[in-house]
Structure formats: structure tokens, C-alpha cells
Amino acid sequence: MLCTSDIYTLINYVGFINYLFYGVSVAGQIVLRIKEPDIHRPIKVSLAWPVIFLIFWTFLLIFSLYSEPVVCGRGLAIMLSGVPVYLFGVYWENKPKSFNSFIVKLNHLEQKLFMVVYPSEGSER
């Protein structure tokens, strides 16, 4: 909401990214069906349906990029802004103790600032 004051533009940003992830998820289903055909699947769907979906998805995504490239670009930028958070928070496994200590102190400060400190497990109310 900080990027725009218009809620409809924000919906367009998020909508483009949602459809992008829907297509990637369906493509992942096809890849898994090809690479690991013997894995247990509780529901089996014909491979034609995901392929048909991806054909229409490609058309809609290209049409979105063609009709509103700035909105789609900003949506991608918003999505990619999470990459540094992932790299520092999840991917970087051997963090220095000083970094971890800083994160713990920052977490405690934010909990106190926003009054969301939970009682410890053994304490009574």
C-alpha cells in the first residue's frame, strides 16, 4: 500500500504476481508427473488439463504484460524485494553469532514496541 494510494492499482500488482505463481505451480505439477511418475498421488488428473491451463495462462500473462507493462514490472519488483530477506534469513546458514544476537534483540524490541510479547510457556496468568 506504500507504493500507491489507489487500491485498484495495488490489486493489479498482486493479481499479476498471483497468476504468475499459479502458472509456475501448474508447470511444477507437469514436471513432477514426468520426473517422478511413480510417486503416490491421492488425486490423478489427466495431463491434458494442466497443459490446457498453461496455454490459456500464457496468453493471459502475455496480454497483461502487453497491456500494462509498468504495472506488471512494479509487481515483479515488489515480489523480488523479498529475495534479500530470503537470502539473509533462510539461505545463509552459517550466520555469525553477532548477527543472530542482533536479530534476537531486534525481535524483542519489536515485540515490546508493538505490545505483542507472549508469556513464557511455564508462566501462569
Side-chain angles (χ1 to χ4, degrees):
M1 196 64 184
L2 294 174
C3 298
T4 180
S5 60
D6 183 20
I7 190 71
Y8 297 108
T9 305
L10 184 65
I11 290 170
N12 286 338
Y13 292 159
V14 174
F16 174 75
I17 297 303
N18 277 342
Y19 286 114
L20 183 67
F21 279 113
Y22 295 157
V24 170
S25 298
V26 171
Q29 177 188 6
I30 295 172
V31 169
L32 278 177
R33 184 70 74 86
I34 293 169
K35 286 191 173 186
E36 297 189 26
D38 297 329
I39 197 170
H40 172 71
R41 292 179 176 83
I43 300 172
K44 289 206 175 196
V45 177
S46 171
L47 204 54
W49 293 113
V51 170
I52 292 169
F53 176 84
L54 281 179
I55 291 170
F56 285 106
W57 171 82
T58 304
F59 171 74
L60 289 174
L61 213 61
I62 290 172
F63 184 73
S64 294
L65 283 168
Y66 177 74
S67 65
E68 295 191 46
V70 175
V71 171
C72 294
R74 287 183 182 167
L76 283 171
I78 292 170
M79 179 190 72
L80 292 175
S81 69
V83 171
V85 174
Y86 170 77
L87 291 175
F88 281 115
V90 177
Y91 186 74
W92 186 20
E93 292 179 359
N94 299 322
K95 298 176 190 81
K97 288 187 179 186
S98 60
F99 182 80
N100 284 335
S101 174
F102 170 74
I103 294 298
V104 167
K105 288 178 183 177
L106 181 66
N107 191 358
H108 283 255
L109 175 70
E110 289 170 346
Q111 287 179 358
K112 289 177 183 178
L113 182 66
F114 297 116
M115 294 183 280
V116 292
V117 179
Y118 295 104
S120 61
E121 291 181 18
S123 67
E124 296 179 16
R125 290 187 178 194

